[in-house]
Short mmCIF file of all heavy atoms in Angstrom, two decimals:
data_model
loop_
_atom_site.label_atom_id
_atom_site.label_comp_id
_atom_site.label_asym_id
_atom_site.label_seq_id
_atom_site.Cartn_x
_atom_site.Cartn_y
_atom_site.Cartn_z
N GLY A 35 -129.94 -3.76 -156.41
CA GLY A 35 -131.18 -3.36 -155.76
C GLY A 35 -131.09 -3.40 -154.25
O GLY A 35 -131.44 -2.44 -153.56
N ILE A 36 -130.58 -4.54 -153.74
CA ILE A 36 -130.51 -4.73 -152.30
C ILE A 36 -129.57 -3.71 -151.66
O ILE A 36 -129.92 -3.04 -150.69
CB ILE A 36 -130.03 -6.17 -151.99
CG1 ILE A 36 -131.08 -7.17 -152.47
CG2 ILE A 36 -129.78 -6.34 -150.50
CD1 ILE A 36 -130.61 -8.59 -152.45
N THR A 39 -130.92 -0.10 -151.45
CA THR A 39 -131.84 0.14 -150.35
C THR A 39 -131.08 0.31 -149.04
O THR A 39 -131.44 1.12 -148.20
CB THR A 39 -132.83 -1.02 -150.23
OG1 THR A 39 -132.98 -1.63 -151.49
CG2 THR A 39 -134.17 -0.55 -149.72
N VAL A 67 -115.15 -15.06 -153.01
CA VAL A 67 -114.43 -16.09 -153.76
C VAL A 67 -113.14 -16.45 -153.05
O VAL A 67 -112.81 -17.63 -152.85
CB VAL A 67 -114.15 -15.61 -155.20
CG1 VAL A 67 -113.22 -16.56 -155.91
CG2 VAL A 67 -115.44 -15.47 -155.98
N GLY A 71 -112.12 -20.01 -151.17
CA GLY A 71 -110.91 -20.73 -151.55
C GLY A 71 -110.03 -21.01 -150.36
O GLY A 71 -109.53 -22.12 -150.19
N HIS A 75 -109.07 -24.67 -148.70
CA HIS A 75 -107.72 -25.20 -148.61
C HIS A 75 -107.32 -25.51 -147.18
O HIS A 75 -106.65 -26.49 -146.91
CB HIS A 75 -106.72 -24.20 -149.22
CG HIS A 75 -106.45 -24.46 -150.65
ND1 HIS A 75 -105.53 -25.38 -151.08
CD2 HIS A 75 -107.02 -23.97 -151.77
CE1 HIS A 75 -105.53 -25.43 -152.39
NE2 HIS A 75 -106.43 -24.57 -152.84
N ARG A 76 -107.73 -24.62 -146.25
CA ARG A 76 -107.26 -24.74 -144.87
C ARG A 76 -108.05 -25.77 -144.08
O ARG A 76 -107.52 -26.53 -143.31
CB ARG A 76 -107.35 -23.38 -144.16
CG ARG A 76 -106.35 -22.37 -144.64
CD ARG A 76 -104.97 -22.71 -144.08
NE ARG A 76 -103.92 -22.18 -144.95
CZ ARG A 76 -103.50 -20.92 -144.90
NH1 ARG A 76 -103.98 -20.09 -144.01
NH2 ARG A 76 -102.56 -20.49 -145.72
N PHE A 90 -128.06 -30.16 -153.72
CA PHE A 90 -128.33 -29.58 -155.04
C PHE A 90 -128.77 -30.65 -156.04
O PHE A 90 -129.58 -30.39 -156.90
CB PHE A 90 -127.08 -28.87 -155.58
CG PHE A 90 -126.71 -27.66 -154.79
CD1 PHE A 90 -125.38 -27.30 -154.62
CD2 PHE A 90 -127.68 -26.86 -154.21
CE1 PHE A 90 -125.03 -26.18 -153.88
CE2 PHE A 90 -127.36 -25.74 -153.49
CZ PHE A 90 -126.02 -25.42 -153.32
N TYR A 100 -127.01 -27.73 -162.83
CA TYR A 100 -125.88 -27.65 -161.91
C TYR A 100 -124.81 -28.68 -162.25
O TYR A 100 -123.63 -28.37 -162.28
CB TYR A 100 -126.39 -27.86 -160.48
CG TYR A 100 -125.31 -27.78 -159.43
CD1 TYR A 100 -124.75 -26.56 -159.09
CD2 TYR A 100 -124.83 -28.92 -158.79
CE1 TYR A 100 -123.76 -26.48 -158.14
CE2 TYR A 100 -123.83 -28.86 -157.85
CZ TYR A 100 -123.30 -27.63 -157.52
OH TYR A 100 -122.31 -27.56 -156.59
N THR A 103 -122.93 -27.52 -165.46
CA THR A 103 -122.04 -26.36 -165.27
C THR A 103 -120.85 -26.75 -164.39
O THR A 103 -119.73 -26.31 -164.63
CB THR A 103 -122.78 -25.19 -164.61
OG1 THR A 103 -123.55 -25.66 -163.53
CG2 THR A 103 -123.67 -24.48 -165.59
N GLU A 105 -119.41 -29.64 -164.13
CA GLU A 105 -118.47 -30.42 -164.93
C GLU A 105 -117.61 -29.51 -165.81
O GLU A 105 -116.40 -29.67 -165.89
CB GLU A 105 -119.26 -31.41 -165.80
CG GLU A 105 -118.67 -32.80 -165.85
CD GLU A 105 -119.61 -33.73 -166.59
OE1 GLU A 105 -120.79 -33.82 -166.22
OE2 GLU A 105 -119.16 -34.34 -167.54
N ASN A 108 -115.19 -27.32 -163.61
CA ASN A 108 -114.11 -28.15 -163.09
C ASN A 108 -113.09 -28.49 -164.18
O ASN A 108 -111.89 -28.45 -163.94
CB ASN A 108 -114.67 -29.46 -162.51
CG ASN A 108 -115.17 -29.26 -161.10
OD1 ASN A 108 -114.92 -28.21 -160.50
ND2 ASN A 108 -115.87 -30.22 -160.57
N PRO A 125 -107.95 -27.85 -190.87
CA PRO A 125 -108.41 -27.73 -192.25
C PRO A 125 -109.91 -27.50 -192.30
O PRO A 125 -110.70 -28.42 -192.43
CB PRO A 125 -108.05 -29.08 -192.86
CG PRO A 125 -108.00 -30.01 -191.72
CD PRO A 125 -107.57 -29.21 -190.53
N PHE A 126 -110.33 -26.24 -192.18
CA PHE A 126 -111.73 -25.86 -192.16
C PHE A 126 -111.90 -24.59 -192.96
O PHE A 126 -111.08 -23.70 -192.80
CB PHE A 126 -112.19 -25.67 -190.71
CG PHE A 126 -113.55 -25.09 -190.56
CD1 PHE A 126 -114.67 -25.90 -190.53
CD2 PHE A 126 -113.73 -23.71 -190.45
CE1 PHE A 126 -115.93 -25.36 -190.40
CE2 PHE A 126 -114.99 -23.17 -190.33
CZ PHE A 126 -116.09 -24.00 -190.30
N PRO A 127 -112.85 -24.43 -193.80
CA PRO A 127 -113.95 -25.34 -194.15
C PRO A 127 -113.64 -26.31 -195.28
O PRO A 127 -114.45 -27.17 -195.54
CB PRO A 127 -115.05 -24.36 -194.58
CG PRO A 127 -114.31 -23.20 -195.11
CD PRO A 127 -113.02 -23.12 -194.40
N THR A 138 -110.76 -28.39 -177.26
CA THR A 138 -111.58 -28.37 -176.05
C THR A 138 -111.58 -29.71 -175.34
O THR A 138 -111.77 -29.75 -174.14
CB THR A 138 -113.03 -27.96 -176.35
OG1 THR A 138 -113.53 -28.79 -177.38
CG2 THR A 138 -113.11 -26.52 -176.79
N SER A 139 -111.44 -30.81 -176.05
CA SER A 139 -111.19 -32.06 -175.34
C SER A 139 -110.22 -32.89 -176.15
O SER A 139 -110.37 -33.05 -177.35
CB SER A 139 -112.48 -32.81 -175.04
OG SER A 139 -112.95 -33.46 -176.18
N SER A 143 -113.80 -40.28 -176.92
CA SER A 143 -113.88 -41.73 -176.88
C SER A 143 -114.77 -42.20 -178.02
O SER A 143 -115.99 -42.05 -177.96
CB SER A 143 -114.40 -42.20 -175.53
OG SER A 143 -115.22 -41.23 -174.95
N ASP A 145 -116.24 -45.02 -180.59
CA ASP A 145 -116.52 -46.44 -180.71
C ASP A 145 -117.23 -46.66 -182.05
O ASP A 145 -118.36 -47.12 -182.10
CB ASP A 145 -117.37 -46.90 -179.52
CG ASP A 145 -117.46 -48.40 -179.46
OD1 ASP A 145 -116.84 -49.06 -180.31
OD2 ASP A 145 -118.15 -48.92 -178.57
N PRO A 147 -116.59 -48.26 -185.85
CA PRO A 147 -115.68 -49.10 -186.64
C PRO A 147 -115.09 -48.37 -187.85
O PRO A 147 -113.95 -48.61 -188.24
CB PRO A 147 -116.57 -50.26 -187.09
CG PRO A 147 -117.73 -50.25 -186.17
CD PRO A 147 -117.90 -48.86 -185.68
N SER A 155 -111.80 -32.87 -180.13
CA SER A 155 -112.83 -31.86 -180.34
C SER A 155 -112.17 -30.49 -180.45
O SER A 155 -111.36 -30.13 -179.60
CB SER A 155 -113.82 -31.82 -179.17
OG SER A 155 -114.44 -33.05 -179.04
N ILE A 165 -117.65 -15.61 -179.24
CA ILE A 165 -118.50 -16.41 -178.34
C ILE A 165 -119.43 -17.31 -179.13
O ILE A 165 -120.38 -17.88 -178.60
CB ILE A 165 -119.32 -15.54 -177.36
CG1 ILE A 165 -120.30 -14.67 -178.13
CG2 ILE A 165 -118.44 -14.73 -176.48
CD1 ILE A 165 -121.39 -14.12 -177.27
N GLY A 167 -119.45 -20.20 -182.58
CA GLY A 167 -118.55 -20.90 -183.48
C GLY A 167 -118.98 -22.30 -183.82
O GLY A 167 -120.13 -22.67 -183.64
N LEU A 169 -118.20 -26.53 -183.61
CA LEU A 169 -117.58 -27.58 -182.82
C LEU A 169 -117.37 -28.77 -183.74
O LEU A 169 -118.32 -29.33 -184.27
CB LEU A 169 -118.48 -27.96 -181.65
CG LEU A 169 -117.98 -29.07 -180.75
CD1 LEU A 169 -116.65 -28.70 -180.13
CD2 LEU A 169 -118.99 -29.35 -179.67
N LEU A 170 -116.11 -29.14 -183.97
CA LEU A 170 -115.81 -30.15 -184.97
C LEU A 170 -114.88 -31.23 -184.41
O LEU A 170 -114.11 -30.97 -183.50
CB LEU A 170 -115.11 -29.49 -186.17
CG LEU A 170 -115.86 -28.32 -186.81
CD1 LEU A 170 -114.90 -27.46 -187.58
CD2 LEU A 170 -116.97 -28.81 -187.70
N LEU A 171 -115.01 -32.41 -184.97
CA LEU A 171 -114.14 -33.52 -184.58
C LEU A 171 -113.10 -33.73 -185.68
O LEU A 171 -113.44 -33.99 -186.82
CB LEU A 171 -114.97 -34.79 -184.40
CG LEU A 171 -115.84 -34.85 -183.15
CD1 LEU A 171 -116.91 -35.90 -183.31
CD2 LEU A 171 -115.01 -35.12 -181.93
N PHE A 172 -111.81 -33.60 -185.30
CA PHE A 172 -110.72 -33.79 -186.26
C PHE A 172 -109.87 -34.98 -185.87
O PHE A 172 -109.71 -35.27 -184.68
CB PHE A 172 -109.83 -32.55 -186.30
CG PHE A 172 -110.43 -31.39 -187.03
CD1 PHE A 172 -111.08 -30.39 -186.33
CD2 PHE A 172 -110.33 -31.30 -188.40
CE1 PHE A 172 -111.64 -29.31 -186.99
CE2 PHE A 172 -110.89 -30.22 -189.07
CZ PHE A 172 -111.54 -29.24 -188.38
N GLN A 176 -104.62 -34.54 -188.55
CA GLN A 176 -105.09 -33.51 -189.48
C GLN A 176 -104.73 -32.11 -189.00
O GLN A 176 -104.62 -31.19 -189.81
CB GLN A 176 -106.61 -33.57 -189.60
CG GLN A 176 -107.14 -34.57 -190.59
CD GLN A 176 -108.64 -34.55 -190.59
OE1 GLN A 176 -109.27 -34.74 -189.54
NE2 GLN A 176 -109.24 -34.33 -191.73
N TYR B 4 -106.08 -19.89 -154.16
CA TYR B 4 -107.32 -19.73 -153.38
C TYR B 4 -108.46 -19.24 -154.26
O TYR B 4 -109.59 -19.70 -154.15
CB TYR B 4 -107.10 -18.75 -152.22
CG TYR B 4 -106.13 -19.26 -151.19
CD1 TYR B 4 -105.20 -18.42 -150.60
CD2 TYR B 4 -106.14 -20.61 -150.81
CE1 TYR B 4 -104.31 -18.88 -149.65
CE2 TYR B 4 -105.24 -21.07 -149.88
CZ TYR B 4 -104.33 -20.21 -149.30
OH TYR B 4 -103.47 -20.68 -148.38
N THR B 7 -109.77 -22.07 -156.43
CA THR B 7 -110.59 -23.00 -155.65
C THR B 7 -111.94 -22.39 -155.34
O THR B 7 -112.98 -23.05 -155.45
CB THR B 7 -109.87 -23.36 -154.33
OG1 THR B 7 -108.53 -23.64 -154.63
CG2 THR B 7 -110.52 -24.56 -153.68
N GLY B 8 -111.94 -21.12 -154.93
CA GLY B 8 -113.20 -20.44 -154.63
C GLY B 8 -114.12 -20.41 -155.85
O GLY B 8 -115.31 -20.66 -155.75
N VAL B 10 -114.07 -22.50 -158.40
CA VAL B 10 -114.54 -23.85 -158.72
C VAL B 10 -115.77 -24.19 -157.88
O VAL B 10 -116.72 -24.81 -158.37
CB VAL B 10 -113.42 -24.89 -158.48
CG1 VAL B 10 -113.99 -26.30 -158.46
CG2 VAL B 10 -112.38 -24.77 -159.57
N LEU B 12 -117.88 -21.83 -156.26
CA LEU B 12 -119.00 -20.88 -156.35
C LEU B 12 -119.56 -20.70 -157.77
O LEU B 12 -120.74 -20.48 -157.95
CB LEU B 12 -118.57 -19.51 -155.81
CG LEU B 12 -118.34 -19.46 -154.32
CD1 LEU B 12 -117.85 -18.09 -153.92
CD2 LEU B 12 -119.62 -19.78 -153.56
N LEU B 15 -122.61 -22.79 -159.04
CA LEU B 15 -123.83 -22.37 -158.36
C LEU B 15 -124.37 -21.08 -158.98
O LEU B 15 -125.55 -20.98 -159.32
CB LEU B 15 -123.49 -22.15 -156.88
CG LEU B 15 -124.65 -22.08 -155.91
CD1 LEU B 15 -125.38 -23.41 -155.89
CD2 LEU B 15 -124.14 -21.75 -154.53
N THR B 18 -125.68 -21.69 -162.57
CA THR B 18 -126.96 -22.40 -162.55
C THR B 18 -128.09 -21.44 -162.22
O THR B 18 -129.13 -21.41 -162.88
CB THR B 18 -126.92 -23.54 -161.52
OG1 THR B 18 -125.76 -24.31 -161.73
CG2 THR B 18 -128.14 -24.42 -161.62
N LEU B 22 -131.29 -20.40 -164.62
CA LEU B 22 -132.67 -20.64 -164.18
C LEU B 22 -133.45 -19.33 -164.09
O LEU B 22 -134.61 -19.26 -164.49
CB LEU B 22 -132.69 -21.37 -162.84
CG LEU B 22 -132.26 -22.84 -162.89
CD1 LEU B 22 -132.36 -23.47 -161.52
CD2 LEU B 22 -133.11 -23.62 -163.87
N PHE B 53 -134.26 -5.46 -145.97
CA PHE B 53 -133.56 -4.52 -146.85
C PHE B 53 -134.03 -4.61 -148.29
O PHE B 53 -133.42 -4.06 -149.19
CB PHE B 53 -132.04 -4.74 -146.77
CG PHE B 53 -131.66 -6.19 -146.81
CD1 PHE B 53 -131.62 -6.88 -148.00
CD2 PHE B 53 -131.35 -6.86 -145.63
CE1 PHE B 53 -131.28 -8.20 -148.04
CE2 PHE B 53 -131.01 -8.20 -145.67
CZ PHE B 53 -130.96 -8.87 -146.88
N GLN B 58 -139.23 -4.46 -155.45
CA GLN B 58 -138.59 -5.75 -155.71
C GLN B 58 -139.41 -6.90 -155.13
O GLN B 58 -139.57 -7.95 -155.76
CB GLN B 58 -137.19 -5.76 -155.09
CG GLN B 58 -136.21 -4.92 -155.87
CD GLN B 58 -134.97 -4.64 -155.08
OE1 GLN B 58 -134.92 -4.85 -153.86
NE2 GLN B 58 -133.98 -4.14 -155.76
N PRO B 136 -117.75 -29.70 -192.34
CA PRO B 136 -118.01 -29.17 -193.69
C PRO B 136 -117.34 -29.95 -194.82
O PRO B 136 -117.66 -29.67 -195.96
CB PRO B 136 -117.46 -27.76 -193.61
CG PRO B 136 -116.39 -27.84 -192.60
CD PRO B 136 -116.77 -28.89 -191.63
N HIS B 137 -116.40 -30.84 -194.55
CA HIS B 137 -115.90 -31.66 -195.66
C HIS B 137 -115.68 -33.10 -195.23
O HIS B 137 -115.92 -33.45 -194.08
CB HIS B 137 -114.67 -31.02 -196.32
CG HIS B 137 -113.48 -30.90 -195.42
ND1 HIS B 137 -112.53 -31.88 -195.32
CD2 HIS B 137 -113.08 -29.92 -194.58
CE1 HIS B 137 -111.60 -31.50 -194.48
NE2 HIS B 137 -111.92 -30.31 -194.00
N ASP B 139 -113.47 -35.31 -194.34
CA ASP B 139 -112.68 -35.91 -193.27
C ASP B 139 -112.99 -35.35 -191.88
O ASP B 139 -112.36 -35.74 -190.91
CB ASP B 139 -111.18 -35.69 -193.56
CG ASP B 139 -110.65 -36.81 -194.41
OD1 ASP B 139 -111.33 -37.83 -194.50
OD2 ASP B 139 -109.56 -36.65 -194.97
N VAL B 140 -113.89 -34.39 -191.80
CA VAL B 140 -114.19 -33.73 -190.53
C VAL B 140 -115.61 -34.08 -190.12
O VAL B 140 -116.49 -34.16 -190.98
CB VAL B 140 -114.07 -32.20 -190.67
CG1 VAL B 140 -114.22 -31.53 -189.34
CG2 VAL B 140 -112.76 -31.83 -191.30
N TYR B 141 -115.83 -34.27 -188.83
CA TYR B 141 -117.16 -34.65 -188.40
C TYR B 141 -117.76 -33.63 -187.44
O TYR B 141 -117.06 -33.05 -186.62
CB TYR B 141 -117.13 -36.03 -187.74
CG TYR B 141 -116.94 -37.12 -188.77
CD1 TYR B 141 -115.67 -37.54 -189.13
CD2 TYR B 141 -118.04 -37.67 -189.41
CE1 TYR B 141 -115.50 -38.52 -190.10
CE2 TYR B 141 -117.87 -38.63 -190.37
CZ TYR B 141 -116.61 -39.05 -190.72
OH TYR B 141 -116.46 -40.00 -191.68
N SER B 142 -119.06 -33.40 -187.60
CA SER B 142 -119.82 -32.56 -186.67
C SER B 142 -120.95 -33.39 -186.10
O SER B 142 -121.35 -34.39 -186.70
CB SER B 142 -120.41 -31.35 -187.39
OG SER B 142 -119.42 -30.53 -187.92
N THR B 169 -124.86 -24.69 -183.99
CA THR B 169 -123.61 -23.98 -183.73
C THR B 169 -123.30 -24.06 -182.24
O THR B 169 -124.15 -24.40 -181.43
CB THR B 169 -123.70 -22.50 -184.15
OG1 THR B 169 -124.84 -21.93 -183.53
CG2 THR B 169 -123.79 -22.35 -185.63
N THR B 170 -122.06 -23.72 -181.89
CA THR B 170 -121.58 -23.79 -180.53
C THR B 170 -121.37 -22.39 -179.99
O THR B 170 -120.89 -21.56 -180.74
CB THR B 170 -120.24 -24.54 -180.50
OG1 THR B 170 -120.46 -25.83 -181.02
CG2 THR B 170 -119.66 -24.65 -179.14
N PRO B 171 -121.60 -22.08 -178.73
CA PRO B 171 -122.26 -22.88 -177.71
C PRO B 171 -123.77 -22.64 -177.67
O PRO B 171 -124.42 -23.15 -176.78
CB PRO B 171 -121.61 -22.36 -176.42
CG PRO B 171 -121.30 -20.94 -176.72
CD PRO B 171 -121.08 -20.82 -178.19
N SER B 175 -129.14 -21.66 -183.13
CA SER B 175 -128.96 -21.43 -184.55
C SER B 175 -128.12 -22.57 -185.11
O SER B 175 -127.44 -23.27 -184.36
CB SER B 175 -128.28 -20.08 -184.82
OG SER B 175 -127.00 -20.07 -184.23
N PHE B 177 -127.33 -25.21 -188.98
CA PHE B 177 -127.44 -25.45 -190.41
C PHE B 177 -128.38 -26.62 -190.65
O PHE B 177 -128.37 -27.59 -189.92
CB PHE B 177 -126.07 -25.77 -190.99
CG PHE B 177 -125.06 -24.71 -190.71
CD1 PHE B 177 -124.25 -24.79 -189.60
CD2 PHE B 177 -124.96 -23.60 -191.52
CE1 PHE B 177 -123.35 -23.79 -189.30
CE2 PHE B 177 -124.05 -22.60 -191.24
CZ PHE B 177 -123.24 -22.69 -190.14
N TYR B 199 -122.72 -31.67 -175.01
CA TYR B 199 -121.45 -31.59 -175.74
C TYR B 199 -121.36 -30.26 -176.49
O TYR B 199 -120.34 -29.58 -176.46
CB TYR B 199 -121.38 -32.78 -176.70
CG TYR B 199 -120.17 -32.82 -177.60
CD1 TYR B 199 -118.90 -32.99 -177.08
CD2 TYR B 199 -120.32 -32.70 -178.98
CE1 TYR B 199 -117.81 -33.04 -177.90
CE2 TYR B 199 -119.22 -32.75 -179.81
CZ TYR B 199 -117.97 -32.93 -179.27
OH TYR B 199 -116.89 -32.96 -180.10
N CYS B 203 -119.09 -26.42 -175.50
CA CYS B 203 -118.03 -26.25 -176.50
C CYS B 203 -117.15 -27.49 -176.57
O CYS B 203 -115.95 -27.40 -176.86
CB CYS B 203 -117.12 -25.05 -176.18
SG CYS B 203 -117.88 -23.50 -176.51
N GLY B 204 -117.69 -28.65 -176.27
CA GLY B 204 -116.91 -29.89 -176.37
C GLY B 204 -116.12 -30.23 -175.14
O GLY B 204 -115.34 -31.17 -175.14
N VAL B 205 -116.30 -29.45 -174.05
CA VAL B 205 -115.56 -29.72 -172.82
C VAL B 205 -116.05 -31.00 -172.17
O VAL B 205 -115.29 -31.73 -171.54
CB VAL B 205 -115.67 -28.51 -171.87
CG1 VAL B 205 -115.07 -28.83 -170.52
CG2 VAL B 205 -114.99 -27.31 -172.46
N ILE B 206 -117.34 -31.31 -172.30
CA ILE B 206 -117.89 -32.55 -171.75
C ILE B 206 -118.08 -33.53 -172.91
O ILE B 206 -119.11 -33.53 -173.56
CB ILE B 206 -119.24 -32.32 -171.06
CG1 ILE B 206 -119.14 -31.18 -170.07
CG2 ILE B 206 -119.71 -33.58 -170.36
CD1 ILE B 206 -120.44 -30.85 -169.40
N PHE B 210 -118.80 -41.62 -178.24
CA PHE B 210 -119.38 -41.73 -179.58
C PHE B 210 -119.44 -43.20 -179.95
O PHE B 210 -118.45 -43.78 -180.39
CB PHE B 210 -118.53 -40.95 -180.59
CG PHE B 210 -118.49 -39.48 -180.32
CD1 PHE B 210 -117.44 -38.91 -179.62
CD2 PHE B 210 -119.50 -38.66 -180.77
CE1 PHE B 210 -117.40 -37.55 -179.36
CE2 PHE B 210 -119.46 -37.29 -180.52
CZ PHE B 210 -118.42 -36.75 -179.81
N LYS B 211 -120.62 -43.81 -179.77
CA LYS B 211 -120.75 -45.24 -180.03
C LYS B 211 -121.71 -45.43 -181.19
O LYS B 211 -122.81 -44.89 -181.20
CB LYS B 211 -121.30 -45.92 -178.78
CG LYS B 211 -121.25 -47.42 -178.80
CD LYS B 211 -121.71 -47.96 -177.46
CE LYS B 211 -121.55 -49.45 -177.32
NZ LYS B 211 -122.11 -50.21 -178.42
N GLN B 212 -121.28 -46.18 -182.20
CA GLN B 212 -122.09 -46.35 -183.39
C GLN B 212 -123.23 -47.33 -183.12
O GLN B 212 -123.12 -48.25 -182.34
CB GLN B 212 -121.25 -46.87 -184.54
CG GLN B 212 -122.02 -46.87 -185.85
CD GLN B 212 -121.13 -47.14 -187.03
OE1 GLN B 212 -120.03 -47.66 -186.89
NE2 GLN B 212 -121.61 -46.82 -188.22
#
Side-chain angles (χ1 to χ4, degrees):
Chain A
I36 295 169
T39 333
V67 171
H75 267 276
R76 289 285 154 83
F90 293 146
Y100 181 74
T103 46
E105 223 173 306
N108 278 349
F126 171 88
T138 53
S139 77
S143 28
D145 191 1
S155 300
I165 64 163
L169 178 60
L170 305 158
L171 287 162
F172 285 97
Q176 276 179 304
Chain B
Y4 294 140
T7 315
V10 166
L12 291 177
L15 196 63
T18 310
L22 288 182
F53 44 79
Q58 287 165 346
H137 63 90
D139 272 345
V140 186
Y141 287 90
S142 297
T169 53
T170 300
S175 62
F177 305 92
Y199 176 65
C203 286
V205 173
I206 309 177
F210 297 96
K211 191 175 186 310
Q212 188 169 19

